[in-house]
Amino acid sequence: MGSYIGKSVKRREDARFLKGEGKYTDDIKLPNMTHMAFVRSPYASANVLSVDTSEAEKAEGVVAVFTAEDGCGQYGVPCGWQVNFKNGETMREPQHPLLAKDKIRHVGEPVAIVIAETQALARDAAELVAVEYEELPAVTNPKEAMKDGAPKVHDQFPDNMAFDWCIGNDRAEVEAALEKAHHVTELEFINQRLAPNAIEPRSYIADYDVNGDKWTLYTSTQNPHLIRLLMCAFVLGIPEHKVRVVSYDVGGGFGSKIYHYTEEALVTWVSREIARPVKWTADRSEAFLMDAHGRDHVVKSKMGFDKEGHIVAHLTDEYCSMGAYLSTFAPAIPTYLHGTLFQGLYKTPLIHLNVVAPFTHTVPVDAYRGAGRPEATYLIERLVSKGAKEMGMDPAEIRFKNFIEPFDGVNQPGYQTQVALQYDSGNYAPALEKALDAIGYKDFRKEQAEARKNGKLLGLGISTWIEGCGIAPSAVVGALGARAGLYEVGHVRVQPTGKVSVYTGTHSHGQGHETAFAQFVADRLGIPMDDVEIIHGDTEQVAFGMGTYGSRSLSVGGSAIVKSIEKVLEKGAKIAAHKLEASVEDLEYAGGKWTVKGTDKSISFGDVSLTAYVPHDYPQGLEPGLDFSSFYDPANFTFPFGAHLAIVEVDQDTGKVDLKRFVTCDDVGNIINPMIVDGQIHGGVVQGIGQALLEEVVFDESGQMITGSYMDYAMPRADDLPMIETHNTVTPCPHNPLGVKGAGEAGAIGSTPAVVNAVVDALWHLGVRDIQMPLTPQRVWKAMQQ
Amino acid sequence: MIPAKFDYIKVSSINEAVDLVDKHGFDAKILAGGHSLIPAMKLRLNTPSILIDISGIEGMNEIKESGDEIIVGANCTHKQIMSSDLVKNQLNILAQTAATIGDVQVRNRGTIGGSLAHSDPSADYPATVLACDAKIEVTSKNGSRTIDAEDFFQGIFTTALEDDEIITAVRFPKVKDGNYQKFYQSASRFAVVGVAVVKDGNGVKVGITGVADTPYRAKAVEKAYDGSTDAATHAVDGVDVMSDHFADSEYRAHLAKVMVKKALA
Ligand SMILES: Cc1cc2nc3c(=O)[nH]c(=O)nc-3n(C[C@H](O)[C@H](O)[C@H](O)COP(=O)(O)OP(=O)(O)OC[C@H]3O[C@@H](n4cnc5c(N)ncnc54)[C@H](O)[C@@H]3O)c2cc1C
């Protein structure tokens, strides 16, 4: 027993993952199961003139062929967040059909589905469906989409605009401050579109039970209850209590498995039509084409400074693509998960962000690791470093000068930003100091000068980041347009023998909840970790839940479990008091037993549990059993923060960037399992480095994705990376019982600007001020030539 | 990613293979390591109805010394080539080249014959095959012939091979002083530019892949070579340089010069 919190306990789930024995959706094979294949549009923009399924219907092994004419999911897939125009008008919300009827709006949009006895036969038959298209011009760049005469994505919205939104101080006031500023730095760039690339492609199996008129949907999702709610209530109009959604092991999501996808609703619908189980698993090409992408902002920013380097104002205008339709959380990403972080770590007194969100002929864009916050951090941290260097100031110094003073959220109030939210607690300077010490900042400048003399281009980049996670207080997000609450459910079932089953509405798809959650549950109850099991991912076992994204699982889901543990201990104390013939006030609970204070009289957790289920000698009027469920709605977001530093060397001849060192110092509040937090930071950092140096979804003129495979979409690999050196400071979250803030997205938020700042630093003396991401050798070399 | 239906025959002799190719014509495809063909079939870009697997043909996966030559069987894998002592000692540039290809899995399966027949404009071997003045041995129902490296590569995925011809071996002269330099494409890790330089008493031979739609001998460099690396500036003289989103023609031309310089050094 003893304390598990703070220990790098090895992950329980890893044995099955490492042995290849995880239970992923595609591993499930049901008796009598059929397979679904899609007929997908090869065009980004087209009219569908005719669909002829007759040949496919006759093909070997075909069970059924369906098109939009067959009336599946007539309401389409809904959007879960409403963002209003700045003039109050509601956002434009086009219908997102399950199968395209007469119009194609992105490459890969499905036109028909073929159900057959095997996956191969389904695919063979899908090739026999004859679709006649009339190709139309397409637009894929969000800024281009807003130009007069741009190809229309939805005829009913001729200007292609989903919404035009703003946040922060009055624009005129911000502009006036910029006018008067001592120095104004500017940036114009594209925060490029990324493909999420979870290692497990999306996979769904629907199993309709004719006798019970019930479904089981096995799905690779980050939030089974949310999928059930959206699909049942909005898409298919079937009663929720008739549907069980199961999401066992899931191989990564990074946001892309939050959303309710058309394929999920289609298998469910078809399963009833044919009264047989139906499976669909995306292949890698479909994953590139159909998984919601991330980022895709066209950005124009200005930041003003006074003589001493204090930031006086920040103004940004962005075009943020929604893609062809509004995915589940899409409108929230470039608005409430982005603009609300424009304060950064700084005392900036005047901030204004305007976001125009156009439709484009591309697959929808939604949350991708960090979701809006990496985009905010990128532009702020690039501006601060660029501004500092233009003014001849040290980019570390300018940050210290502008940091918000420390506040713990208990003795000092939270920090009210200019952009709606109130930070919970923060102490920013120590994180940057620690990172600077770790990298040897003072000596580096000498080394850099030395290296330059020898023709070597060394650079160091700094990024300090903050994010709002622990999503989210329901009333707050409701006011901001969320169509769901964002509380969490934690259920603690103490078995008669004192073993504990914990049911959480969060979902683990790589994060290690089975281990980290068991650590704090075991500690709170004073029992061995082996006595605690964590269960998630099944709507029939877990009462309800909102799933995992926005680094919320421990801070929101964990807090719900803590509430239930408190109820267990409160009731347990009553039973213990009865058995020990003492009063509850005289008891203390420690080490897994209740003891009468000042005596050696005690009773163990196990004995109390047994008594609760065999209530022979039992307090009068007390219900038997030891089983509690709680809903927890957080009081605020949590605001982890940190500093990321990169050292790069740029090859003079080829422009290739060699990342030499990467140092982090992150403050994610209290840490339950340092190894898991480090793992989350590593993964996030690598994704951020991927964006900085390698990754980019590219479309051609006609809207074809020319980076639709790993031949052309560059993912970071081990040999692209240095060892990642992680450090921490700890500033507990003041408003949740575990004092935790969240670590899932941190790495991806802080790392990208550190790398780009480092490359720009290496080339500053050559006049380079900015390079478009990803910083491919070609782009870096061209920047050096100018 | 499921290929269309196909039949599969594994042959044990070259005669059996050429007979089957003759019999099935266009419907048939030779299968060696499968590391170019199978991906294309999975995407249904290639839909042969019969695969003739030549990987079991006896003798076609051997590396032999014969007088002044090293003879590499067409079925030799990249891994076999990079680890062969004979190649490392007598034809080191080929071992260097093989070691840059793909990853361990690719090198364990992919073959030199398959790579040359496939003739991807960014493949690595062509540069070295050209710089070494290697000879490609091919066989068909009508007999055997030898194709000079310079005549072999004819365009993107196009070679001097007739439809019914199978590569059986590649004959290389022994090379003492050779150097292969590759600039990797960040996603596929194929060559954006690959440069092979072979030096002998008389001068240099330079083969370049990745730059034009057909790998070529950089004759202008060879001509200008004066023992220094200055001739590298002629790397793309008279060449129509390819362009894609990783490297447009301006950058690719620059890279070609940089890599030739490195290879000459
Ligand atoms: C992930 C990945 C990375 C790769 N990276 C690189 C790289 O960095 N550099 C590089 O050069 N290549 C690379 N390749 C390609 C690899 O080298 C292939 O193995 C090679 O191109 C084809 O050889 P194979 O034996 O696999 O041929 P197969 O795929 O079996 O056949 C390829 C083609 O050649 C024909 N063919 C095969 N053998 C013969 C023969 N003896 N005679 C006539 N025709 C024949 C086949 O019919 C087919 O058309 C990569 C491949 C993959 C999958």
Side-chain angles (χ1 to χ4, degrees):
Chain A
M1 253 176 286
S3 175
Y4 296 106
I5 291 183
K7 296 221 169 78
S8 289
V9 178
K10 290 224 169 96
R11 304 203 323 171
R12 297 171 154 185
E13 42 274 86
D14 284 346
R16 69 177 191 275
F17 294 152
L18 293 173
K19 288 190 288 180
E21 291 171 3
K23 198 170 182 191
Y24 298 93
T25 303
D26 193 60
D27 294 325
I28 300 169
K29 292 172 179 68
L30 300 177
N32 210 22
M33 186 167 79
T34 63
H35 297 263
M36 180 157 95
F38 282 87
V39 179
R40 298 188 180 279
S41 168
Y43 301 110
S45 173
N47 289 321
V48 179
L49 303 180
S50 67
V51 184
D52 180 356
T53 61
S54 53
E55 285 302 311
E57 278 159 35
K58 286 184 276 185
E60 185 192 343
V62 168
V63 177
V65 182
F66 299 102
T67 67
E69 300 298 332
D70 297 299
C72 49
Q74 53 213 310
Y75 311 110
V77 178
C79 176
W81 202 302
Q82 181 182 317
V83 169
N84 291 338
F85 279 70
K86 56 193 175 206
N87 65 12
E89 213 182 298
T90 48
M91 71 180 181
R92 278 84 172 264
E93 208 168 344
Q95 205 206 35
H96 183 180
L98 301 191
L99 292 172
K101 196 169 182 177
D102 35 42
K103 195 113 195 174
I104 296 297
R105 298 187 177 87
H106 67 89
V107 174
E109 192 163 6
V111 177
I113 45 177
V114 176
I115 319 299
E117 299 293 344
T118 68
Q119 203 187 119
L121 290 171
R123 289 189 178 231
D124 287 346
E127 294 198 336
L128 300 176
V129 174
V131 186
E132 215 186 326
Y133 299 96
E134 177 193 10
E135 195 183 354
L136 300 170
V139 62
T140 59
N141 173 304
K143 192 174 175 187
E144 298 295 318
M146 292 315 302
K147 291 195 172 145
D148 281 347
K152 289 195 275 287
V153 182
H154 299 277
D155 290 337
Q156 70 271 38
F157 309 131
D159 60 3
N160 282 333
M161 201 193 286
F163 56 82
D164 179 356
W165 173 94
C166 70
I167 193 168
N169 307 94
D170 179 55
R171 184 178 187 111
E173 220 179 308
V174 176
E175 281 171 345
L178 285 169
E179 287 282 311
K180 283 190 285 183
H182 168 73
H183 177 72
V184 175
T185 192
E186 299 185 29
L187 275 174
E188 267 193 76
F189 62 91
I190 294 173
N191 196 305
Q192 82 273 26
R193 184 183 269 253
L194 303 176
N197 283 304
I199 195 164
E200 178 213 16
R202 287 185 294 121
S203 180
Y204 309 125
I205 304 170
D207 182 13
Y208 179 68
D209 165 8
V210 182
N211 296 313
D213 187 30
K214 281 185 185 167
W215 288 258
T216 304
L217 173 67
Y218 301 90
T219 165
S220 50
T221 183
Q222 300 177 214
N223 33 222
H225 291 87
L226 197 65
I227 296 304
R228 188 179 61 165
L229 176 66
L230 288 172
M231 184 178 75
C232 293
F234 297 96
V235 185
L236 298 178
I238 54 182
E240 244 172 306
H241 67 297
K242 292 284 192 184
V243 178
R244 173 185 178 198
V245 177
V246 184
S247 177
Y248 289 128
D249 287 330
V250 172
F254 314 118
S256 70
K257 291 175 184 161
I258 300 172
Y259 326 118
H260 178 42
Y261 286 91
T262 53
E263 293 98 344
E264 221 163 20
L266 281 167
V267 290
T268 307
W269 181 82
V270 170
S271 179
R272 179 164 66 180
E273 292 297 306
I274 65 170
R276 288 177 65 180
V278 185
K279 179 193 257 187
W280 173 77
T281 301
D283 60 28
R284 190 52 67 186
S285 305
E286 282 178 306
F288 270 109
L289 285 179
M290 300 303 293
D291 291 1
H293 288 165
R295 322 282 191 249
D296 205 2
H297 295 196
V298 178
V299 185
K300 189 173 177 178
S301 283
K302 285 184 187 178
M303 186 174 269
F305 301 85
D306 70 12
K307 268 209 298 291
E308 287 83 42
H310 298 109
I311 305 167
V312 294
H314 172 192
L315 176 67
T316 288
D317 286 284
E318 296 185 83
Y319 297 94
C320 303
S321 181
M322 292 284 107
Y325 302 102
L326 297 178
S327 175
T328 310
F329 285 138
I333 309 309
T335 54
Y336 293 109
L337 291 176
H338 176 61
T340 51
L341 272 303
F342 266 50
Q343 190 77 49
L345 302 163
Y346 311 116
K347 288 172 287 198
T348 312
L350 290 166
I351 301 167
H352 185 89
L353 163 68
N354 197 88
V355 171
V356 171
F359 295 108
T360 58
H361 288 106
T362 62
V363 70
V365 180
D366 207 323
Y368 168 67
R369 203 169 191 169
R373 290 152 286 165
E375 297 91 316
T377 306
Y378 184 75
L379 67 88
I380 295 169
E381 293 305 300
R382 290 280 299 112
L383 287 166
V384 170
S385 280
K386 182 166 176 271
K389 290 172 77 78
E390 284 164 350
M391 296 170 70
M393 296 181 66
D394 181 299
E397 250 352 280
I398 202 167
R399 287 178 166 86
F400 286 120
K401 197 170 273 185
N402 281 283
F403 280 154
I404 295 161
E405 320 306 338
F407 58 103
D408 63 11
V410 181
N411 300 310
Q412 303 94 12
Y415 182 84
Q416 182 57 51
T417 68
Q418 303 298 316
V419 278
L421 299 184
Q422 193 183 65
Y423 292 168
D424 57 346
S425 59
N427 189 6
Y428 306 135
L432 179 55
E433 278 159 11
K434 202 166 174 179
L436 291 171
D437 281 349
I439 209 161
Y441 189 64
K442 291 213 181 78
D443 296 333
F444 174 79
R445 291 297 169 198
K446 272 183 260 157
E447 209 184 305
Q448 182 181 35
E450 235 3 78
R452 254 178 216 166
K453 276 191 229 146
N454 303 325
K456 270 172 58 170
L457 301 170
L458 279 187
L460 185 148
I462 300 178
S463 148
T464 47
W465 63 273
I466 187 165
E467 66 149 327
C469 60
I471 292 173
S474 297
V476 174
V477 292
L480 303 181
R483 288 166 174 166
L486 286 169
Y487 49 82
E488 200 41 76
V489 179
H491 177 175
V492 176
R493 173 171 296 160
V494 183
Q495 310 289 355
T497 52
K499 310 295 180 200
V500 178
S501 306
V502 177
Y503 303 83
T504 174
T506 64
H507 184 277
S508 183
H509 30 278
Q511 294 89 341
H513 295 175
E514 287 167 48
T515 306
F517 282 23
Q519 280 179 260
F520 81 77
V521 171
D523 264 8
R524 288 257 162 170
L525 291 175
I527 59 175
M529 253 183 91
D530 284 346
D531 288 1
V532 181
E533 197 66 25
I534 306 296
I535 297 134
H536 68 88
D538 183 348
T539 60
E540 215 129 278
Q541 294 199 67
V542 183
F544 202 71
M546 302 309 295
T548 285
Y549 38 81
S551 307
R552 70 190 298 272
S553 298
L554 196 53
S555 63
V556 189
S559 298
I561 295 168
V562 170
K563 268 180 85 175
S564 292
I565 291 172
E566 282 164 2
K567 292 177 193 169
V568 164
L569 290 177
E570 193 186 315
K571 183 169 178 182
K574 288 182 191 158
I575 300 169
H578 175 86
K579 295 288 270 189
L580 295 170
E581 298 177 332
S583 73
V584 168
E585 293 73 40
D586 292 337
L587 298 185
E588 59 189 4
Y589 187 74
K593 58 187 184 197
W594 283 271
T595 307
V596 182
K597 284 178 208 158
T599 76
D600 58 3
K601 272 175 65 181
S602 69
I603 183 167
S604 72
F605 182 72
D607 285 338
V608 165
S609 308
L610 191 63
T611 308
Y613 287 91
V614 188
H616 296 164
D617 177 13
Y618 201 69
Q620 233 187 359
L622 191 69
E623 270 179 34
L626 208 46
D627 188 317
F628 288 99
S629 184
S630 310
F631 281 63
Y632 174 82
D633 203 340
N636 190 2
F637 294 81
T638 60
F639 295 89
F641 58 88
H644 288 192
L645 307 181
I647 293 181
V648 299
E649 183 178 340
V650 179
D651 183 50
Q652 299 256 27
D653 293 331
T654 63
K656 190 167 163 48
V657 175
D658 182 11
L659 189 53
K660 296 272 194 212
R661 282 184 75 190
F662 201 93
V663 174
T664 65
C665 181
D666 296 312
D667 193 321
V668 298
N670 290 336
I671 292 175
I672 305 287
N673 184 320
M675 178 193 70
I676 291 181
V677 169
D678 271 354
Q680 289 293 311
I681 299 297
H682 283 201
V685 162
V686 172
Q687 278 178 300
I689 292 170
Q691 168 158 32
L693 297 179
L694 296 160
E695 297 184 44
E696 178 176 34
V697 173
V698 182
F699 297 101
D700 72 9
E701 293 267 288
S702 68
Q704 292 294 332
M705 192 189 299
I706 58 177
T707 50
S709 86
Y710 294 132
M711 292 296 281
D712 299 297
Y713 189 92
M715 294 285 284
R717 301 183 203 186
D719 65 356
D720 292 315
L721 304 163
M723 295 308 284
I724 294 159
E725 304 162 53
T726 58
H727 303 271
N728 295 102
T729 57
V730 175
T731 306
C733 172
H735 64 73
N736 67 46
L738 294 166
V740 295
K741 291 195 169 192
E745 295 157 297
I749 293 169
S751 56
T752 311
V755 175
V756 177
N757 280 339
V759 176
V760 172
D761 182 55
L763 306 178
W764 190 266
H765 62 297
L766 304 175
V768 174
R769 298 294 175 263
D770 185 35
I771 307 175
Q772 172 59 46
M773 292 192 293
L775 273 58
T776 58
Q778 160 164 281
R779 288 205 176 113
V780 174
W781 180 77
K782 291 204 167 181
M784 288 161 68
Q785 306 314 304
Q786 275 160 18
Chain B
M1 304 282 224
I2 292 182
K5 216 168 168 176
F6 59 87
D7 284 331
Y8 169 88
I9 302 178
K10 185 158 184 172
V11 298
S12 51
S13 75
I14 189 74
N15 289 340
E16 208 184 327
V18 293
D19 282 346
L20 282 168
V21 169
D22 185 53
K23 181 170 151 209
H24 294 282
F26 276 125
D27 295 338
K29 269 267 166 207
I30 298 289
L31 178 71
H35 269 53
S36 292
L37 183 55
I38 302 288
M41 288 172 63
K42 283 183 164 183
L43 291 169
R44 298 193 175 209
L45 296 171
N46 210 326
T47 52
S49 54
I50 176 162
L51 289 186
I52 302 163
D53 183 347
I54 59 169
S55 64
I57 295 178
E58 210 169 318
M60 244 173 86
N61 62 350
E62 285 170 10
I63 301 173
K64 287 182 300 209
E65 187 172 9
S66 162
D68 288 343
E69 291 188 326
I70 302 295
I71 302 175
V72 181
N75 283 345
C76 291
T77 62
H78 313 327
K79 169 70 195 229
Q80 215 181 327
I81 291 169
M82 67 185 266
S83 356
S84 150
D85 283 335
L86 193 53
V87 176
K88 282 195 282 189
N89 294 329
Q90 309 280 6
L91 185 59
N92 190 270
I93 186 171
L94 189 66
Q96 290 172 38
T97 310
T100 70
I101 297 175
D103 51 30
V104 175
Q105 290 96 320
V106 174
R107 293 194 291 269
N108 279 338
R109 300 283 317 177
T111 67
I112 188 167
S115 177
L116 295 178
H118 188 61
S119 193
D120 189 302
S122 305
D124 291 289
Y125 286 129
T128 302
V129 165
L130 282 166
C132 292
D133 262 335
K135 301 199 183 308
I136 293 137
E137 300 283 355
V138 307
T139 296
S140 74
K141 185 94 181 154
N142 306 321
S144 298
R145 64 176 178 130
T146 301
I147 308 173
D148 288 342
E150 270 201 83
D151 301 329
F152 185 79
F153 303 102
Q154 301 196 337
I156 296 189
F157 305 113
T158 318
T159 67
L161 279 180
E162 297 296 335
D163 290 334
D164 61 350
E165 282 178 329
I166 297 176
I167 303 175
T168 54
V170 190
R171 279 169 36 214
F172 291 86
K174 291 177 182 172
V175 170
K176 278 214 183 62
D177 190 355
N179 188 356
Y180 184 68
Q181 292 289 333
K182 170 173 180 176
F183 194 83
Y184 291 83
Q185 196 251 51
S186 56
S188 71
R189 302 272 175 108
F190 275 69
V192 178
V193 173
V195 176
V197 166
V198 170
K199 289 185 190 166
D200 58 25
N202 308 322
V204 287
K205 287 181 282 184
V206 181
I208 300 185
T209 187
V211 174
D213 61 4
T214 312
Y216 62 96
R217 275 278 292 274
K219 292 279 167 66
V221 176
E222 296 177 6
K223 212 166 125 202
Y225 180 64
D226 59 1
S228 76
T229 59
D230 296 348
T233 52
H234 298 284
V236 296
D237 285 6
V239 171
D240 192 4
V241 178
M242 288 196 295
S243 177
D244 63 26
H245 83 277
F246 288 100
D248 63 16
S249 46
E250 180 199 5
Y251 177 64
R252 202 178 226 102
H254 165 74
L255 268 186
K257 292 172 198 167
V258 170
M259 299 315 281
V260 169
K261 192 169 165 187
K262 274 196 182 180
L264 286 174

